[in-house]
Amino acid sequence: MLEIGERPWGTYYVLADEPHYKLKRIEVNPGHKLSYQFHYKRQEQWTIVAGDAVVVLDDKEIPLSYGESIFIPQGAKHRIMNLSEQPVVFIEVQTGTYFGEDDIVRIEDEYERA
């Protein structure tokens, strides 16, 4: 594990951090959601490996279950929500030119982060 990040919605684990991609395992606690956000310098591919999630992609809600994936284009507004009583776990592959946490532009955040 290269990095573990505790957040109000759950935990992320950085599995690989290479010059051209970053790989994370992300766990979203029951009843929680990530901020509605976008990125200037990266795109993401999410694959659900446990639980049932709802992804919001440019204001459209898309349900996803085990084994299903979604592509998040660079600049697209997105979030993942766990509306169930079980954890949601997904694998995130980031590609682009920069993968720092400071490339998160939050539009809406239930936890009042900037």
PDB file of all heavy atoms in Angstrom, residues 37-50:
ATOM      1  N   GLN A  37     -17.838  16.546  -8.192  1.00  0.00           N
ATOM      2  CA  GLN A  37     -16.546  17.138  -8.500  1.00  0.00           C
ATOM      3  C   GLN A  37     -16.172  16.946  -9.957  1.00  0.00           C
ATOM      4  O   GLN A  37     -16.841  16.225 -10.690  1.00  0.00           O
ATOM      5  CB  GLN A  37     -15.471  16.492  -7.621  1.00  0.00           C
ATOM      6  CG  GLN A  37     -15.378  14.979  -7.824  1.00  0.00           C
ATOM      7  CD  GLN A  37     -14.416  14.307  -6.862  1.00  0.00           C
ATOM      8  OE1 GLN A  37     -13.368  13.847  -7.281  1.00  0.00           O
ATOM      9  NE2 GLN A  37     -14.781  14.236  -5.598  1.00  0.00           N
ATOM     10  N   PHE A  38     -15.064  17.593 -10.347  1.00  0.00           N
ATOM     11  CA  PHE A  38     -14.451  17.327 -11.639  1.00  0.00           C
ATOM     12  C   PHE A  38     -12.952  17.555 -11.519  1.00  0.00           C
ATOM     13  O   PHE A  38     -12.462  18.036 -10.495  1.00  0.00           O
ATOM     14  CB  PHE A  38     -15.070  18.188 -12.757  1.00  0.00           C
ATOM     15  CG  PHE A  38     -14.775  19.665 -12.670  1.00  0.00           C
ATOM     16  CD1 PHE A  38     -13.674  20.208 -13.313  1.00  0.00           C
ATOM     17  CD2 PHE A  38     -15.608  20.510 -11.957  1.00  0.00           C
ATOM     18  CE1 PHE A  38     -13.407  21.569 -13.251  1.00  0.00           C
ATOM     19  CE2 PHE A  38     -15.351  21.867 -11.886  1.00  0.00           C
ATOM     20  CZ  PHE A  38     -14.242  22.402 -12.528  1.00  0.00           C
ATOM     21  N   HIS A  39     -12.233  17.148 -12.584  1.00  0.00           N
ATOM     22  CA  HIS A  39     -10.771  17.262 -12.604  1.00  0.00           C
ATOM     23  C   HIS A  39     -10.332  17.940 -13.901  1.00  0.00           C
ATOM     24  O   HIS A  39     -10.880  17.654 -14.968  1.00  0.00           O
ATOM     25  CB  HIS A  39     -10.119  15.877 -12.529  1.00  0.00           C
ATOM     26  CG  HIS A  39     -10.658  15.036 -11.411  1.00  0.00           C
ATOM     27  ND1 HIS A  39     -10.372  15.271 -10.101  1.00  0.00           N
ATOM     28  CD2 HIS A  39     -11.493  13.968 -11.436  1.00  0.00           C
ATOM     29  CE1 HIS A  39     -11.012  14.377  -9.342  1.00  0.00           C
ATOM     30  NE2 HIS A  39     -11.701  13.574 -10.135  1.00  0.00           N
ATOM     31  N   TYR A  40      -9.339  18.788 -13.793  1.00  0.00           N
ATOM     32  CA  TYR A  40      -8.775  19.453 -14.969  1.00  0.00           C
ATOM     33  C   TYR A  40      -7.763  18.571 -15.699  1.00  0.00           C
ATOM     34  O   TYR A  40      -7.596  18.692 -16.900  1.00  0.00           O
ATOM     35  CB  TYR A  40      -8.064  20.751 -14.568  1.00  0.00           C
ATOM     36  CG  TYR A  40      -8.991  21.876 -14.211  1.00  0.00           C
ATOM     37  CD1 TYR A  40      -9.093  22.316 -12.897  1.00  0.00           C
ATOM     38  CD2 TYR A  40      -9.762  22.509 -15.186  1.00  0.00           C
ATOM     39  CE1 TYR A  40      -9.935  23.366 -12.569  1.00  0.00           C
ATOM     40  CE2 TYR A  40     -10.614  23.552 -14.861  1.00  0.00           C
ATOM     41  CZ  TYR A  40     -10.690  23.974 -13.549  1.00  0.00           C
ATOM     42  OH  TYR A  40     -11.534  25.008 -13.222  1.00  0.00           O
ATOM     43  N   LYS A  41      -7.065  17.686 -14.967  1.00  0.00           N
ATOM     44  CA  LYS A  41      -5.891  17.029 -15.543  1.00  0.00           C
ATOM     45  C   LYS A  41      -5.969  15.512 -15.620  1.00  0.00           C
ATOM     46  O   LYS A  41      -4.982  14.868 -15.955  1.00  0.00           O
ATOM     47  CB  LYS A  41      -4.648  17.437 -14.741  1.00  0.00           C
ATOM     48  CG  LYS A  41      -4.414  18.940 -14.780  1.00  0.00           C
ATOM     49  CD  LYS A  41      -3.194  19.334 -14.000  1.00  0.00           C
ATOM     50  CE  LYS A  41      -3.010  20.848 -14.073  1.00  0.00           C
ATOM     51  NZ  LYS A  41      -1.845  21.290 -13.338  1.00  0.00           N
ATOM     52  N   ARG A  42      -7.113  14.929 -15.302  1.00  0.00           N
ATOM     53  CA  ARG A  42      -7.206  13.468 -15.379  1.00  0.00           C
ATOM     54  C   ARG A  42      -8.611  13.011 -15.736  1.00  0.00           C
ATOM     55  O   ARG A  42      -9.585  13.709 -15.552  1.00  0.00           O
ATOM     56  CB  ARG A  42      -6.755  12.826 -14.072  1.00  0.00           C
ATOM     57  CG  ARG A  42      -7.705  13.040 -12.908  1.00  0.00           C
ATOM     58  CD  ARG A  42      -7.202  12.265 -11.697  1.00  0.00           C
ATOM     59  NE  ARG A  42      -8.047  12.386 -10.553  1.00  0.00           N
ATOM     60  CZ  ARG A  42      -7.727  13.028  -9.431  1.00  0.00           C
ATOM     61  NH1 ARG A  42      -6.560  13.627  -9.330  1.00  0.00           N
ATOM     62  NH2 ARG A  42      -8.553  13.054  -8.414  1.00  0.00           N
ATOM     63  N   GLN A  43      -8.644  11.786 -16.237  1.00  0.00           N
ATOM     64  CA  GLN A  43      -9.889  11.060 -16.459  1.00  0.00           C
ATOM     65  C   GLN A  43      -9.819   9.813 -15.589  1.00  0.00           C
ATOM     66  O   GLN A  43      -8.742   9.447 -15.111  1.00  0.00           O
ATOM     67  CB  GLN A  43     -10.031  10.695 -17.933  1.00  0.00           C
ATOM     68  CG  GLN A  43      -8.852   9.920 -18.474  1.00  0.00           C
ATOM     69  CD  GLN A  43      -8.812   9.922 -19.986  1.00  0.00           C
ATOM     70  OE1 GLN A  43      -9.548  10.627 -20.647  1.00  0.00           O
ATOM     71  NE2 GLN A  43      -7.938   9.111 -20.546  1.00  0.00           N
ATOM     72  N   GLU A  44     -10.968   9.159 -15.372  1.00  0.00           N
ATOM     73  CA  GLU A  44     -10.998   8.001 -14.481  1.00  0.00           C
ATOM     74  C   GLU A  44     -11.873   6.893 -15.062  1.00  0.00           C
ATOM     75  O   GLU A  44     -12.848   7.167 -15.773  1.00  0.00           O
ATOM     76  CB  GLU A  44     -11.542   8.409 -13.101  1.00  0.00           C
ATOM     77  CG  GLU A  44     -10.684   9.451 -12.423  1.00  0.00           C
ATOM     78  CD  GLU A  44     -11.299  10.043 -11.167  1.00  0.00           C
ATOM     79  OE1 GLU A  44     -12.528   9.907 -10.945  1.00  0.00           O
ATOM     80  OE2 GLU A  44     -10.548  10.672 -10.409  1.00  0.00           O
ATOM     81  N   GLN A  45     -11.522   5.662 -14.723  1.00  0.00           N
ATOM     82  CA  GLN A  45     -12.341   4.490 -15.029  1.00  0.00           C
ATOM     83  C   GLN A  45     -12.646   3.834 -13.689  1.00  0.00           C
ATOM     84  O   GLN A  45     -11.722   3.538 -12.921  1.00  0.00           O
ATOM     85  CB  GLN A  45     -11.578   3.526 -15.939  1.00  0.00           C
ATOM     86  CG  GLN A  45     -12.328   2.260 -16.282  1.00  0.00           C
ATOM     87  CD  GLN A  45     -13.386   2.475 -17.352  1.00  0.00           C
ATOM     88  OE1 GLN A  45     -13.236   3.316 -18.221  1.00  0.00           O
ATOM     89  NE2 GLN A  45     -14.453   1.706 -17.288  1.00  0.00           N
ATOM     90  N   TRP A  46     -13.922   3.621 -13.388  1.00  0.00           N
ATOM     91  CA  TRP A  46     -14.326   2.995 -12.132  1.00  0.00           C
ATOM     92  C   TRP A  46     -14.937   1.630 -12.416  1.00  0.00           C
ATOM     93  O   TRP A  46     -15.783   1.493 -13.294  1.00  0.00           O
ATOM     94  CB  TRP A  46     -15.381   3.832 -11.416  1.00  0.00           C
ATOM     95  CG  TRP A  46     -14.931   5.181 -10.935  1.00  0.00           C
ATOM     96  CD1 TRP A  46     -13.668   5.678 -10.870  1.00  0.00           C
ATOM     97  CD2 TRP A  46     -15.782   6.217 -10.430  1.00  0.00           C
ATOM     98  NE1 TRP A  46     -13.677   6.945 -10.355  1.00  0.00           N
ATOM     99  CE2 TRP A  46     -14.961   7.313 -10.078  1.00  0.00           C
ATOM    100  CE3 TRP A  46     -17.154   6.330 -10.239  1.00  0.00           C
ATOM    101  CZ2 TRP A  46     -15.466   8.493  -9.540  1.00  0.00           C
ATOM    102  CZ3 TRP A  46     -17.657   7.512  -9.717  1.00  0.00           C
ATOM    103  CH2 TRP A  46     -16.823   8.569  -9.363  1.00  0.00           C
ATOM    104  N   THR A  47     -14.534   0.628 -11.631  1.00  0.00           N
ATOM    105  CA  THR A  47     -15.117  -0.714 -11.709  1.00  0.00           C
ATOM    106  C   THR A  47     -15.569  -1.127 -10.315  1.00  0.00           C
ATOM    107  O   THR A  47     -14.763  -1.126  -9.370  1.00  0.00           O
ATOM    108  CB  THR A  47     -14.110  -1.737 -12.259  1.00  0.00           C
ATOM    109  OG1 THR A  47     -13.701  -1.324 -13.563  1.00  0.00           O
ATOM    110  CG2 THR A  47     -14.725  -3.127 -12.333  1.00  0.00           C
ATOM    111  N   ILE A  48     -16.842  -1.481 -10.174  1.00  0.00           N
ATOM    112  CA  ILE A  48     -17.401  -1.898  -8.888  1.00  0.00           C
ATOM    113  C   ILE A  48     -16.947  -3.336  -8.600  1.00  0.00           C
ATOM    114  O   ILE A  48     -17.126  -4.222  -9.438  1.00  0.00           O
ATOM    115  CB  ILE A  48     -18.939  -1.827  -8.903  1.00  0.00           C
ATOM    116  CG1 ILE A  48     -19.436  -0.438  -9.313  1.00  0.00           C
ATOM    117  CG2 ILE A  48     -19.515  -2.254  -7.544  1.00  0.00           C
ATOM    118  CD1 ILE A  48     -19.055   0.699  -8.417  1.00  0.00           C
ATOM    119  N   VAL A  49     -16.372  -3.548  -7.413  1.00  0.00           N
ATOM    120  CA  VAL A  49     -15.949  -4.897  -7.027  1.00  0.00           C
ATOM    121  C   VAL A  49     -16.726  -5.427  -5.819  1.00  0.00           C
ATOM    122  O   VAL A  49     -16.602  -6.603  -5.479  1.00  0.00           O
ATOM    123  CB  VAL A  49     -14.418  -4.978  -6.795  1.00  0.00           C
ATOM    124  CG1 VAL A  49     -13.667  -4.713  -8.101  1.00  0.00           C
ATOM    125  CG2 VAL A  49     -13.953  -4.044  -5.706  1.00  0.00           C
ATOM    126  N   ALA A  50     -17.536  -4.575  -5.178  1.00  0.00           N
ATOM    127  CA  ALA A  50     -18.419  -5.021  -4.093  1.00  0.00           C
ATOM    128  C   ALA A  50     -19.514  -3.984  -3.891  1.00  0.00           C
ATOM    129  O   ALA A  50     -19.254  -2.781  -3.929  1.00  0.00           O
ATOM    130  CB  ALA A  50     -17.639  -5.208  -2.793  1.00  0.00           C
TER     131      ALA A  50
END
